[in-house]
Amino acid sequence: MLAFATSYGQHFDIRAYGGFNVLQLTSDQGVSLIDGVLHDQKVSGRPGAQFGAALTFGSRFFVQPGFQYSILTSEIINESTVTDDVLKEETTINAFSVPLKVGFRLIDPEKENLFNVRIFGGFDGSHILSVDHSKGSEKIDDIDEDDFTNLIVSADFGMGIDIFIFYVDLGYQLGLTPVYTGGDQAKANAFYSNIGLRLSF
């Protein structure tokens, strides 16, 4: 990557970051059957985190490949249609992803490298490493990594600000492929924010 960046353009930097996310799963299943009773099902996003690194190369226009480790959490609330009973499930996913972004700097970095504003978009491919699933009832099926699609693809877009050796990114990921291997066509959408350090060359 470093050799390619050097040959591609004069400006490139290495970035390391950490941040927070809120996952929201969409689903085509609005009800669930537990103990023979229909339950209304709602999916709620919970706070998660991510850590990663990326290489940004180019000048005003740039390309940014990277890798990331993410912790994503969602809560499913099952409310009985007969009684007031509420059963809650929480799923925490550990995933490895390879984001690829392209973007545009509003200020020419060859003239001003201490401050800049960026807009970006791209794609992210994620692979589930492990799943921690807590159940509100023994009648609720357990979930593990085999229940997830091998490669989960998302569109990624947002904006960022560079200040000296620091930077901040705010973005949104829009799920493009189903999360689960079963009939549920749920997709994973997420808001995220990152703060990191950059070394420019």
Side-chain angles (χ1 to χ4, degrees):
M1 282 186 177
L2 288 172
F4 181 63
T6 304
S7 62
Y8 181 84
Q10 295 180 349
H11 185 90
F12 68 93
D13 59 45
I14 299 172
R15 296 171 181 250
Y17 61 87
F20 298 95
N21 63 69
V22 178
L23 174 68
Q24 182 63 56
L25 288 177
T26 64
S27 178
D28 64 357
Q29 296 181 355
V31 295
S32 58
L33 186 65
I34 304 174
D35 294 335
V37 178
L38 283 177
H39 287 67
D40 291 324
Q41 188 177 86
K42 299 179 182 178
V43 181
S44 176
R46 307 291 294 172
Q50 68 273 339
F51 310 92
L55 174 66
T56 303
F57 57 92
S59 187
R60 295 294 291 273
F61 291 96
F62 63 86
V63 178
Q64 186 182 78
F67 60 89
Q68 179 173 287
Y69 177 81
S70 302
I71 303 169
L72 307 165
T73 302
S74 64
E75 183 179 60
I76 299 177
I77 303 172
N78 298 284
E79 184 175 354
S80 173
T81 58
V82 177
T83 67
D84 294 330
D85 292 341
V86 176
L87 301 174
K88 295 183 179 180
E89 307 171 61
E90 186 169 287
T91 303
T92 299
I93 302 167
N94 297 286
F96 176 79
S97 64
V98 182
L100 176 62
K101 302 174 184 177
V102 295
F104 177 73
R105 293 182 175 96
L106 302 186
I107 303 172
D108 187 349
E110 302 298 335
K111 298 178 181 178
E112 172 57 67
N113 195 34
L114 296 182
F115 176 81
N116 221 317
V117 178
R118 296 168 285 105
I119 55 175
F120 57 81
F123 295 94
D124 188 297
S126 300
H127 176 69
I128 306 301
L129 299 175
S130 64
V131 176
D132 182 15
H133 181 63
S134 63
K135 300 182 292 182
S137 169
E138 291 302 320
K139 297 296 184 179
I140 297 176
D141 292 336
D142 203 357
I143 298 175
D144 59 29
E145 53 270 25
D146 294 332
D147 295 307
F148 289 83
T149 306
N150 187 50
L151 180 64
I152 302 171
V153 180
S154 304
D156 190 336
F157 50 90
M159 68 172 296
I161 298 176
D162 298 335
I163 304 175
F164 189 45
I165 63 171
F166 305 100
Y167 73 95
V168 177
D169 284 347
L170 297 174
Y172 182 75
Q173 287 190 335
L174 178 66
L176 300 179
T177 59
V179 174
Y180 302 111
T181 55
D184 190 347
Q185 296 298 304
K187 296 180 175 64
N189 303 326
F191 288 98
Y192 68 87
S193 63
N194 290 320
I195 184 169
L197 297 172
R198 64 190 184 104
L199 297 176
S200 298
F201 300 91

